[in-house]
Amino acid sequence: MNTLLIRDPHALPVDQVVQQLASDIERGLTPDEAARRLASSGPNALRPKRRRGPVLRFLLQFHHPLIYILLVTAAITGMLQEWVDSGVIIGVVVVNALIGFVQEARAERAIESLKEMLAPSALVLRAATRTVVPAADLVPGDIVFLQAGDKVPADLRLYQVKNLQIDEAPLTGESLPVQKTTAPLAPETPVADRHNMAFSGTLVTFGQGAGVVVATGEATEIGKIAGALAEVQEVQTPLMKRLVAFSKGLTVAILLAAGLLFLLGALQGHPVMDMFMAAVALAVSAIPEGLPAIMTITLAIGVKRMAARNAIIRKLPAVETLGSTTVICSDKTGTLTRNEMTVTAIDCVAGRFRVSGVGYAPLGTIENERGQVIDPREIPALAELVRAGLLCNDAALKHDAGEWKIEGDPTEGALLVLAEKAGLQAEHEKRVL
């Protein structure tokens, strides 16, 4: 089990942190000591969550008030040999279970994707020698070196920085890279303002640095997020609460009415079996079997539409919860962001121009003020401006698994994408230069 050996490392001087971790900035840990600590603290990885098997996960899709009502209704209509009604209800239940099963599997994969944020390897100092080790083998007290393009492999207390900037958007939501320092901070400093720390899963966009590992695995800030996701408790949505209350009230009313009909008929001398069947018929006719079916189908349609917009809904009722939302709390920028910057307008001596396209995909056009698509290379002032943004750029644009990604500063990435839209290729322009 991973442990955090120091409380508030951001508030302590570096030498005190190193001393408490029994490490050495000049030599690092010995291989034997690193192995001992690894056996004690466990690997620098997120512990896999115990997952339910596919059979149990499918059966749990039927554990729902709506489904209970549908199953009871299907059973009663089957007893009365209303096979069409019973078949339709069973079909709705099965389709709902299949949709829920698929959506929950996708949600589980999304949670598991947090593990991909951890770095695969790290450059560390072991026995006075710099060596590359698997990130999973890092232990508290290791000395780690960072440079542009690296993923931070664990939570580090930085002791050396040279123009070090780190993109902490996955952790804090800040769209701009954070300039790092080494000076101690106040103990109450929030995570987003701990500029002397480098956090696991974040990306170094510029400069170099070095730090001592103070937390690994689930003790890191990203590990705490993964743990919080695994411990989310299910609560009833407003719709479910109203439906349960309605179902209880309706059930009591139907049972009272059916019981009263049976009792009055029996007292008047009618055959007991006839009155029982009449009471059952009354109860079945009073059950609004179409209501839960329609609600289930409506929620399923909502889940499908959300999935088409890349929003994974784990449980059907969550769609209704979104519809009941009255307040959305966002970060201090007032936005919910993908941390992708895009050039949308250009203003230079040649005029003003609009740029279409969003995100980092180099798909879009450049238009003049009259809305006409133009070739920037035919307008010298515009071409030189775009070329300057391309050449004075340390970012890299990559296409991976069907998705365009930027390695480096988001602003520089946006300028790189603009150059691609303008038809300028970095390699060609550098050769010409």
Side-chain angles (χ1 to χ4, degrees):
M1 180 177 180
N2 306 106
T3 54
L4 178 62
L5 301 180
I6 298 180
R7 181 179 179 84
D8 297 331
H10 61 278
L12 302 176
V14 173
D15 56 353
Q16 188 173 341
V17 172
V18 174
Q19 181 181 5
Q20 291 190 25
L21 290 172
S23 185
D24 187 336
I25 290 179
E26 300 298 330
R27 298 187 58 82
L29 301 176
T30 64
D32 291 341
E33 176 63 16
R36 187 188 67 78
R37 295 190 183 191
L38 182 63
S40 174
S41 64
N44 177 35
L46 301 182
R47 183 172 51 188
K49 176 187 174 184
R50 290 187 60 185
R51 301 180 64 179
R52 296 189 292 256
V55 175
L56 179 59
R57 192 163 68 242
F58 179 74
L59 293 178
L60 287 175
Q61 303 304 319
F62 299 93
H63 181 57
H64 196 282
L66 274 175
I67 305 303
Y68 294 155
I69 297 175
L70 287 172
L71 291 175
V72 171
T73 304
I76 295 176
T77 53
M79 291 172 56
L80 297 177
Q81 298 184 352
E82 298 289 342
W83 305 119
V84 175
D85 291 344
S86 181
V88 170
I89 295 172
I90 292 296
V92 169
V93 171
V94 172
V95 170
N96 166 74
L98 290 174
I99 293 176
F101 177 79
V102 172
Q103 288 299 114
E104 185 167 347
R106 294 181 63 187
E108 292 287 350
R109 288 196 297 270
I111 294 175
E112 289 293 317
S113 67
L114 278 174
K115 294 181 180 180
E116 299 177 2
M117 297 178 64
L118 302 182
S121 60
L123 179 62
V124 302
L125 186 66
R126 295 272 175 91
T129 302
R130 295 194 183 194
T131 181
V132 176
V133 301
D137 291 345
L138 288 180
V139 295
D142 261 329
I143 305 300
V144 177
F145 301 96
L146 303 173
Q147 60 183 357
D150 288 348
K151 270 190 176 180
V152 181
D155 283 4
L156 311 176
R157 171 61 167 93
L158 298 171
Y159 69 84
Q160 184 181 82
V161 297
K162 183 179 180 181
N163 299 323
L164 182 63
Q165 296 181 11
I166 299 181
D167 177 9
E168 297 182 345
L171 186 64
T172 66
E174 292 292 342
S175 61
L176 297 177
V178 178
Q179 186 76 40
K180 293 298 181 177
T181 61
T182 60
L185 302 170
E188 65 274 10
T189 304
V191 172
D193 295 328
R194 295 177 185 175
H195 297 161
N196 59 5
M197 297 285 295
F199 298 105
S200 177
T202 57
L203 179 67
V204 179
T205 60
F206 191 77
Q208 299 175 338
V212 56
V213 175
V214 295
T216 59
E218 294 179 352
T220 62
E221 294 298 328
I222 199 70
K224 294 175 184 177
I225 294 176
L229 288 175
E231 296 172 0
V232 172
Q233 297 181 350
E234 295 186 7
V235 296
Q236 283 192 328
T237 67
L239 175 63
M240 292 300 102
K241 292 179 180 179
R242 291 195 294 268
L243 183 62
V244 169
F246 172 76
S247 300
K248 290 180 178 178
L250 182 62
T251 300
V252 172
I254 291 175
L255 291 177
L256 288 176
L260 182 61
L261 175 64
F262 175 78
L263 182 60
L264 291 177
L267 292 176
Q268 292 179 4
H270 294 287
V272 175
M273 184 55 66
D274 290 347
M275 293 313 304
F276 175 75
M277 293 303 298
V280 171
L282 173 63
V284 172
S285 63
I287 294 176
E289 66 272 8
L291 174 61
I294 291 173
M295 291 178 63
T296 301
I297 293 172
T298 302
L299 293 176
I301 293 174
V303 167
K304 186 174 182 297
R305 290 183 175 179
M306 293 293 287
R309 291 166 174 78
N310 298 320
I312 300 176
I313 305 297
R314 189 173 185 177
K315 300 289 185 181
L316 283 180
V319 178
E320 180 269 331
T321 304
L322 291 174
S324 301
T325 300
T326 56
V327 176
I328 296 178
C329 298
S330 64
D331 65 1
K332 64 185 180 183
T333 62
T335 60
L336 300 175
T337 177
R338 287 172 54 91
N339 191 36
E340 293 179 348
M341 299 188 71
T342 307
V343 176
T344 59
I346 304 173
D347 194 350
C348 64
V349 294
R352 309 192 72 173
F353 304 89
R354 291 191 297 271
V355 184
S356 63
V358 295
Y360 292 140
L363 305 174
T365 59
I366 300 178
E367 303 174 354
N368 58 24
E369 292 182 285
R370 295 187 297 275
Q372 299 171 330
V373 177
I374 55 96
D375 184 349
R377 292 169 293 187
E378 298 178 354
I379 304 176
L382 178 59
E384 289 302 315
L385 178 62
V386 176
R387 184 175 290 107
L390 171 63
L391 295 176
C392 186
N393 201 308
D394 293 324
L397 178 64
K398 295 186 177 181
H399 188 256
D400 183 26
E403 183 178 359
W404 289 93
K405 298 179 180 179
I406 282 291
E407 290 185 358
D409 183 80
T411 302
E412 292 190 348
L415 296 175
L416 195 59
V417 173
L418 171 64
E420 292 279 347
K421 293 177 181 178
L424 302 180
Q425 301 295 327
E427 295 300 325
H428 173 71
E429 296 300 326
K430 289 178 180 179
R431 285 198 302 268
V432 173
L433 184 65

